[in-house]
C-alpha cells in the first residue's frame, strides 16, 4: 500500500507514518540477519540490485546480468580500496603491517547506502 502513495494507503485504512516506520524496522532487522548469516559482504547482495536497476533500467533481461557484473566490479573495487587504505594507514601510522578488512569497508559504505535506499520516498522512484 505504501508504494501506491500516502493517499491510497490512507484510503485503505493504513496509517502511512506507522506503516513506513514498521517497514523500516523490518528492513533493518532483515538486513541485520542477512549480514550476520552471510557476513559483511552480504551488503553487496543487498545493494547491487538497486544500483543495477538504477543504472540499467527495468528490463530484467539486461538488469540481471548487469547486476552480476556490477556485483563483481563492486567487490573488486572494495578490495582494491581496502588494500590502498591499508597501505596509506600503515604509512601514516608508521606501522609495519596494517590491514583493513574488505568486509569492514563494505559494511561502512553499505550501511550508509542501505539507509539511503530504505529512506527514499515513493515520489523519487
Amino acid at each position: 500500500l505504501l508504494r501506491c502513495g500516502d493517499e491510497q494507503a490512507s484510503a485503505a485504512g493504513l496509517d502511512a507514518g506507522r506503516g513506513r516506520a514498521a517497514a523500516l524496522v523490518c528492513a533493518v532487522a532483515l538486513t541485520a540477519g542477512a549480514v550476520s548469516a552471510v557476513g559483511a559482504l552480504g551488503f553487496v547482495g543487498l545493494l547491487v540490485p538497486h544500483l543495477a536497476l538504477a543504472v540499467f533500467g527495468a528490463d530484467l533481461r539486461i538488469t540481471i546480468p548487469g547486476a552480476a557484473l556490477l556485483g563483481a566490479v563492486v567487490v573488486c573495487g572494495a578490495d582494491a580500496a581496502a588494500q590502498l587504505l591499508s597501505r596509506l594507514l600503515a604509512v601514516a601510522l608508521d606501522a609495519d603491517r596494517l590491514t583493513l578488512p574488505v568486509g569492514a569497508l563494505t559494511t561502512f559504505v553499505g550501511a550508509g547506502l542501505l539507509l539511503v535506499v530504505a529512506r527514499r520516498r515513493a515520489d523519487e522512484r
Side-chain angles (χ1 to χ4, degrees), residues 72-109:
V73 168
V74 166
V75 170
C76 288
D79 185 45
Q83 289 181 16
L84 178 66
L85 284 173
S86 296
R87 289 182 182 156
L88 292 175
L89 284 172
V91 169
L93 298 174
D94 196 28
D96 290 337
R97 186 174 169 107
L98 180 71
T99 58
L100 177 68
V102 67
L105 185 65
T106 58
T107 299
F108 181 73
V109 174

mmCIF file of all heavy atoms in Angstrom, residues 72-109:
data_model
loop_
_atom_site.group_PDB
_atom_site.id
_atom_site.type_symbol
_atom_site.label_atom_id
_atom_site.label_comp_id
_atom_site.label_asym_id
_atom_site.label_seq_id
_atom_site.Cartn_x
_atom_site.Cartn_y
_atom_site.Cartn_z
ATOM 1 N N ALA A 72 30.423 -7.971 -9.177
ATOM 2 C CA ALA A 72 31.843 -8.316 -9.261
ATOM 3 C C ALA A 72 32.715 -7.063 -9.261
ATOM 4 O O ALA A 72 33.753 -7.011 -8.597
ATOM 5 C CB ALA A 72 32.100 -9.140 -10.522
ATOM 6 N N VAL A 73 32.269 -6.032 -9.966
ATOM 7 C CA VAL A 73 33.025 -4.781 -10.011
ATOM 8 C C VAL A 73 33.057 -4.125 -8.632
ATOM 9 O O VAL A 73 34.098 -3.617 -8.198
ATOM 10 C CB VAL A 73 32.425 -3.826 -11.070
ATOM 11 C CG1 VAL A 73 32.980 -2.425 -10.948
ATOM 12 C CG2 VAL A 73 32.648 -4.378 -12.458
ATOM 13 N N VAL A 74 31.932 -4.154 -7.924
ATOM 14 C CA VAL A 74 31.878 -3.552 -6.587
ATOM 15 C C VAL A 74 32.803 -4.283 -5.626
ATOM 16 O O VAL A 74 33.536 -3.656 -4.851
ATOM 17 C CB VAL A 74 30.423 -3.522 -6.066
ATOM 18 C CG1 VAL A 74 30.368 -3.227 -4.580
ATOM 19 C CG2 VAL A 74 29.612 -2.496 -6.834
ATOM 20 N N VAL A 75 32.805 -5.613 -5.641
ATOM 21 C CA VAL A 75 33.666 -6.381 -4.735
ATOM 22 C C VAL A 75 35.144 -6.149 -5.078
ATOM 23 O O VAL A 75 35.969 -5.961 -4.176
ATOM 24 C CB VAL A 75 33.310 -7.882 -4.772
ATOM 25 C CG1 VAL A 75 34.330 -8.710 -4.035
ATOM 26 C CG2 VAL A 75 31.936 -8.099 -4.171
ATOM 27 N N CYS A 76 35.482 -6.152 -6.363
ATOM 28 C CA CYS A 76 36.875 -5.887 -6.753
ATOM 29 C C CYS A 76 37.287 -4.466 -6.370
ATOM 30 O O CYS A 76 38.405 -4.244 -5.881
ATOM 31 C CB CYS A 76 37.056 -6.099 -8.257
ATOM 32 S SG CYS A 76 36.997 -7.820 -8.754
ATOM 33 N N GLY A 77 36.402 -3.517 -6.568
ATOM 34 C CA GLY A 77 36.699 -2.143 -6.184
ATOM 35 C C GLY A 77 36.853 -1.986 -4.682
ATOM 36 O O GLY A 77 37.736 -1.263 -4.202
ATOM 37 N N ALA A 78 36.009 -2.670 -3.913
ATOM 38 C CA ALA A 78 36.122 -2.604 -2.453
ATOM 39 C C ALA A 78 37.420 -3.238 -1.985
ATOM 40 O O ALA A 78 38.068 -2.736 -1.055
ATOM 41 C CB ALA A 78 34.924 -3.300 -1.807
ATOM 42 N N ASP A 79 37.827 -4.332 -2.623
ATOM 43 C CA ASP A 79 39.085 -4.980 -2.249
ATOM 44 C C ASP A 79 40.269 -4.071 -2.576
ATOM 45 O O ASP A 79 41.182 -3.915 -1.755
ATOM 46 C CB ASP A 79 39.227 -6.316 -2.977
ATOM 47 C CG ASP A 79 40.457 -7.075 -2.530
ATOM 48 O OD1 ASP A 79 40.698 -7.138 -1.302
ATOM 49 O OD2 ASP A 79 41.187 -7.588 -3.391
ATOM 50 N N ALA A 80 40.249 -3.462 -3.753
ATOM 51 C CA ALA A 80 41.341 -2.553 -4.121
ATOM 52 C C ALA A 80 41.383 -1.345 -3.192
ATOM 53 O O ALA A 80 42.461 -0.910 -2.762
ATOM 54 C CB ALA A 80 41.174 -2.102 -5.571
ATOM 55 N N ALA A 81 40.214 -0.810 -2.854
ATOM 56 C CA ALA A 81 40.175 0.341 -1.946
ATOM 57 C C ALA A 81 40.665 -0.043 -0.549
ATOM 58 O O ALA A 81 41.368 0.737 0.102
ATOM 59 C CB ALA A 81 38.753 0.901 -1.878
ATOM 60 N N ALA A 82 40.299 -1.237 -0.083
ATOM 61 C CA ALA A 82 40.754 -1.683 1.241
ATOM 62 C C ALA A 82 42.271 -1.863 1.268
ATOM 63 O O ALA A 82 42.932 -1.490 2.247
ATOM 64 C CB ALA A 82 40.057 -2.984 1.628
ATOM 65 N N GLN A 83 42.841 -2.410 0.193
ATOM 66 C CA GLN A 83 44.294 -2.561 0.137
ATOM 67 C C GLN A 83 44.988 -1.207 0.080
ATOM 68 O O GLN A 83 46.008 -0.993 0.752
ATOM 69 C CB GLN A 83 44.693 -3.412 -1.068
ATOM 70 C CG GLN A 83 44.326 -4.861 -0.910
ATOM 71 C CD GLN A 83 44.746 -5.688 -2.104
ATOM 72 O OE1 GLN A 83 45.568 -5.253 -2.910
ATOM 73 N NE2 GLN A 83 44.212 -6.890 -2.224
ATOM 74 N N LEU A 84 44.448 -0.278 -0.697
ATOM 75 C CA LEU A 84 45.039 1.058 -0.787
ATOM 76 C C LEU A 84 44.955 1.777 0.556
ATOM 77 O O LEU A 84 45.934 2.369 1.017
ATOM 78 C CB LEU A 84 44.341 1.872 -1.866
ATOM 79 C CG LEU A 84 44.822 3.311 -2.036
ATOM 80 C CD1 LEU A 84 46.266 3.324 -2.539
ATOM 81 C CD2 LEU A 84 43.913 4.067 -2.970
ATOM 82 N N LEU A 85 43.792 1.710 1.208
ATOM 83 C CA LEU A 85 43.647 2.344 2.516
ATOM 84 C C LEU A 85 44.558 1.703 3.550
ATOM 85 O O LEU A 85 45.088 2.390 4.431
ATOM 86 C CB LEU A 85 42.197 2.283 2.969
ATOM 87 C CG LEU A 85 41.249 3.264 2.294
ATOM 88 C CD1 LEU A 85 39.809 2.998 2.691
ATOM 89 C CD2 LEU A 85 41.633 4.685 2.624
ATOM 90 N N SER A 86 44.757 0.391 3.461
ATOM 91 C CA SER A 86 45.664 -0.286 4.381
ATOM 92 C C SER A 86 47.079 0.242 4.238
ATOM 93 O O SER A 86 47.767 0.514 5.231
ATOM 94 C CB SER A 86 45.657 -1.797 4.142
ATOM 95 O OG SER A 86 44.397 -2.331 4.430
ATOM 96 N N ARG A 87 47.515 0.411 2.999
ATOM 97 C CA ARG A 87 48.868 0.927 2.769
ATOM 98 C C ARG A 87 49.006 2.366 3.237
ATOM 99 O O ARG A 87 50.006 2.751 3.848
ATOM 100 C CB ARG A 87 49.235 0.817 1.293
ATOM 101 C CG ARG A 87 49.454 -0.609 0.867
ATOM 102 C CD ARG A 87 49.852 -0.700 -0.573
ATOM 103 N NE ARG A 87 50.003 -2.110 -0.941
ATOM 104 C CZ ARG A 87 49.898 -2.552 -2.153
ATOM 105 N NH1 ARG A 87 49.659 -1.726 -3.150
ATOM 106 N NH2 ARG A 87 50.043 -3.833 -2.414
ATOM 107 N N LEU A 88 47.989 3.181 2.955
ATOM 108 C CA LEU A 88 48.041 4.576 3.382
ATOM 109 C C LEU A 88 48.021 4.700 4.904
ATOM 110 O O LEU A 88 48.746 5.523 5.472
ATOM 111 C CB LEU A 88 46.874 5.354 2.769
ATOM 112 C CG LEU A 88 46.916 5.559 1.255
ATOM 113 C CD1 LEU A 88 45.648 6.242 0.778
ATOM 114 C CD2 LEU A 88 48.140 6.344 0.846
ATOM 115 N N LEU A 89 47.200 3.890 5.561
ATOM 116 C CA LEU A 89 47.162 3.918 7.031
ATOM 117 C C LEU A 89 48.466 3.417 7.635
ATOM 118 O O LEU A 89 48.919 3.942 8.651
ATOM 119 C CB LEU A 89 45.986 3.085 7.546
ATOM 120 C CG LEU A 89 44.611 3.727 7.422
ATOM 121 C CD1 LEU A 89 43.524 2.724 7.790
ATOM 122 C CD2 LEU A 89 44.504 4.961 8.292
ATOM 123 N N ALA A 90 49.060 2.406 7.010
ATOM 124 C CA ALA A 90 50.333 1.884 7.528
ATOM 125 C C ALA A 90 51.425 2.947 7.433
ATOM 126 O O ALA A 90 52.238 3.088 8.347
ATOM 127 C CB ALA A 90 50.743 0.625 6.757
ATOM 128 N N VAL A 91 51.437 3.698 6.342
ATOM 129 C CA VAL A 91 52.432 4.764 6.198
ATOM 130 C C VAL A 91 52.145 5.895 7.175
ATOM 131 O O VAL A 91 53.048 6.416 7.828
ATOM 132 C CB VAL A 91 52.458 5.281 4.735
ATOM 133 C CG1 VAL A 91 53.266 6.547 4.611
ATOM 134 C CG2 VAL A 91 52.993 4.205 3.810
ATOM 135 N N ALA A 92 50.863 6.269 7.292
ATOM 136 C CA ALA A 92 50.506 7.395 8.158
ATOM 137 C C ALA A 92 50.749 7.079 9.634
ATOM 138 O O ALA A 92 51.142 7.952 10.406
ATOM 139 C CB ALA A 92 49.049 7.770 7.946
ATOM 140 N N LEU A 93 50.522 5.830 10.025
ATOM 141 C CA LEU A 93 50.687 5.445 11.428
ATOM 142 C C LEU A 93 52.058 4.854 11.714
ATOM 143 O O LEU A 93 52.310 4.412 12.838
ATOM 144 C CB LEU A 93 49.593 4.449 11.827
ATOM 145 C CG LEU A 93 48.161 4.979 11.745
ATOM 146 C CD1 LEU A 93 47.170 3.867 12.020
ATOM 147 C CD2 LEU A 93 47.959 6.135 12.699
ATOM 148 N N ASP A 94 52.909 4.817 10.713
ATOM 149 C CA ASP A 94 54.257 4.248 10.842
ATOM 150 C C ASP A 94 54.208 2.827 11.402
ATOM 151 O O ASP A 94 54.908 2.483 12.354
ATOM 152 C CB ASP A 94 55.136 5.150 11.710
ATOM 153 C CG ASP A 94 56.612 4.820 11.543
ATOM 154 O OD1 ASP A 94 56.980 4.339 10.446
ATOM 155 O OD2 ASP A 94 57.376 5.015 12.513
ATOM 156 N N ALA A 95 53.334 2.022 10.786
ATOM 157 C CA ALA A 95 53.192 0.629 11.210
ATOM 158 C C ALA A 95 53.834 -0.273 10.161
ATOM 159 O O ALA A 95 53.856 0.045 8.970
ATOM 160 C CB ALA A 95 51.720 0.266 11.362
ATOM 161 N N ASP A 96 54.376 -1.392 10.614
ATOM 162 C CA ASP A 96 54.992 -2.327 9.672
ATOM 163 C C ASP A 96 53.943 -2.961 8.767
ATOM 164 O O ASP A 96 54.110 -3.040 7.561
ATOM 165 C CB ASP A 96 55.745 -3.423 10.429
ATOM 166 C CG ASP A 96 56.988 -2.896 11.100
ATOM 167 O OD1 ASP A 96 57.507 -1.852 10.649
ATOM 168 O OD2 ASP A 96 57.440 -3.513 12.078
ATOM 169 N N ARG A 97 52.896 -3.448 9.387
ATOM 170 C CA ARG A 97 51.871 -4.149 8.622
ATOM 171 C C ARG A 97 50.507 -3.833 9.228
ATOM 172 O O ARG A 97 50.276 -4.069 10.401
ATOM 173 C CB ARG A 97 52.135 -5.642 8.649
ATOM 174 C CG ARG A 97 51.208 -6.429 7.782
ATOM 175 C CD ARG A 97 51.623 -7.881 7.760
ATOM 176 N NE ARG A 97 50.617 -8.688 7.147
ATOM 177 C CZ ARG A 97 50.718 -9.226 5.964
ATOM 178 N NH1 ARG A 97 51.824 -9.053 5.285
ATOM 179 N NH2 ARG A 97 49.766 -9.954 5.466
ATOM 180 N N LEU A 98 49.635 -3.301 8.422
ATOM 181 C CA LEU A 98 48.295 -2.949 8.860
ATOM 182 C C LEU A 98 47.340 -3.316 7.744
ATOM 183 O O LEU A 98 47.561 -2.942 6.587
ATOM 184 C CB LEU A 98 48.206 -1.447 9.161
ATOM 185 C CG LEU A 98 46.866 -0.933 9.634
ATOM 186 C CD1 LEU A 98 46.586 -1.436 11.055
ATOM 187 C CD2 LEU A 98 46.848 0.575 9.611
ATOM 188 N N THR A 99 46.296 -4.050 8.073
ATOM 189 C CA THR A 99 45.338 -4.439 7.045
ATOM 190 C C THR A 99 43.941 -3.990 7.445
ATOM 191 O O THR A 99 43.541 -4.113 8.593
ATOM 192 C CB THR A 99 45.319 -5.965 6.822
ATOM 193 O OG1 THR A 99 45.013 -6.611 8.047
ATOM 194 C CG2 THR A 99 46.634 -6.452 6.279
ATOM 195 N N LEU A 100 43.242 -3.456 6.486
ATOM 196 C CA LEU A 100 41.848 -3.090 6.654
ATOM 197 C C LEU A 100 41.027 -4.168 5.956
ATOM 198 O O LEU A 100 41.157 -4.342 4.741
ATOM 199 C CB LEU A 100 41.580 -1.720 6.021
ATOM 200 C CG LEU A 100 40.159 -1.221 6.039
ATOM 201 C CD1 LEU A 100 39.735 -0.898 7.470
ATOM 202 C CD2 LEU A 100 40.025 0.003 5.167
ATOM 203 N N PRO A 101 40.200 -4.903 6.699
ATOM 204 C CA PRO A 101 39.406 -5.963 6.059
ATOM 205 C C PRO A 101 38.413 -5.385 5.049
ATOM 206 O O PRO A 101 37.798 -4.342 5.293
ATOM 207 C CB PRO A 101 38.664 -6.624 7.220
ATOM 208 C CG PRO A 101 39.342 -6.165 8.455
ATOM 209 C CD PRO A 101 39.986 -4.857 8.133
ATOM 210 N N VAL A 102 38.275 -6.054 3.934
ATOM 211 C CA VAL A 102 37.354 -5.594 2.900
ATOM 212 C C VAL A 102 35.922 -5.620 3.426
ATOM 213 O O VAL A 102 35.100 -4.784 3.064
ATOM 214 C CB VAL A 102 37.516 -6.410 1.599
ATOM 215 C CG1 VAL A 102 37.075 -7.844 1.780
ATOM 216 C CG2 VAL A 102 36.756 -5.769 0.461
ATOM 217 N N GLY A 103 35.627 -6.544 4.315
ATOM 218 C CA GLY A 103 34.290 -6.598 4.909
ATOM 219 C C GLY A 103 33.976 -5.370 5.733
ATOM 220 O O GLY A 103 32.835 -4.907 5.768
ATOM 221 N N ALA A 104 34.970 -4.823 6.411
ATOM 222 C CA ALA A 104 34.757 -3.603 7.186
ATOM 223 C C ALA A 104 34.448 -2.426 6.265
ATOM 224 O O ALA A 104 33.594 -1.594 6.572
ATOM 225 C CB ALA A 104 35.980 -3.310 8.042
ATOM 226 N N LEU A 105 35.124 -2.371 5.152
ATOM 227 C CA LEU A 105 34.885 -1.285 4.196
ATOM 228 C C LEU A 105 33.495 -1.407 3.571
ATOM 229 O O LEU A 105 32.769 -0.417 3.476
ATOM 230 C CB LEU A 105 35.961 -1.290 3.106
ATOM 231 C CG LEU A 105 35.897 -0.151 2.114
ATOM 232 C CD1 LEU A 105 36.158 1.175 2.808
ATOM 233 C CD2 LEU A 105 36.894 -0.371 1.010
ATOM 234 N N THR A 106 33.107 -2.610 3.165
ATOM 235 C CA THR A 106 31.779 -2.780 2.569
ATOM 236 C C THR A 106 30.685 -2.540 3.603
ATOM 237 O O THR A 106 29.618 -2.045 3.260
ATOM 238 C CB THR A 106 31.605 -4.174 1.945
ATOM 239 O OG1 THR A 106 31.823 -5.165 2.933
ATOM 240 C CG2 THR A 106 32.526 -4.370 0.775
ATOM 241 N N THR A 107 30.930 -2.874 4.861
ATOM 242 C CA THR A 107 29.943 -2.608 5.899
ATOM 243 C C THR A 107 29.775 -1.112 6.106
ATOM 244 O O THR A 107 28.657 -0.604 6.206
ATOM 245 C CB THR A 107 30.362 -3.271 7.226
ATOM 246 O OG1 THR A 107 30.442 -4.677 7.024
ATOM 247 C CG2 THR A 107 29.373 -2.974 8.314
ATOM 248 N N PHE A 108 30.867 -0.395 6.164
ATOM 249 C CA PHE A 108 30.817 1.048 6.379
ATOM 250 C C PHE A 108 30.085 1.749 5.240
ATOM 251 O O PHE A 108 29.178 2.551 5.457
ATOM 252 C CB PHE A 108 32.240 1.593 6.530
ATOM 253 C CG PHE A 108 32.301 3.057 6.785
ATOM 254 C CD1 PHE A 108 31.938 3.575 8.017
ATOM 255 C CD2 PHE A 108 32.716 3.927 5.789
ATOM 256 C CE1 PHE A 108 31.979 4.938 8.258
ATOM 257 C CE2 PHE A 108 32.772 5.291 6.021
ATOM 258 C CZ PHE A 108 32.403 5.799 7.254
ATOM 259 N N VAL A 109 30.454 1.446 4.027
ATOM 260 C CA VAL A 109 29.825 2.084 2.868
ATOM 261 C C VAL A 109 28.411 1.534 2.654
ATOM 262 O O VAL A 109 27.479 2.286 2.364
ATOM 263 C CB VAL A 109 30.690 1.883 1.602
ATOM 264 C CG1 VAL A 109 29.997 2.411 0.364
ATOM 265 C CG2 VAL A 109 32.040 2.553 1.787
#
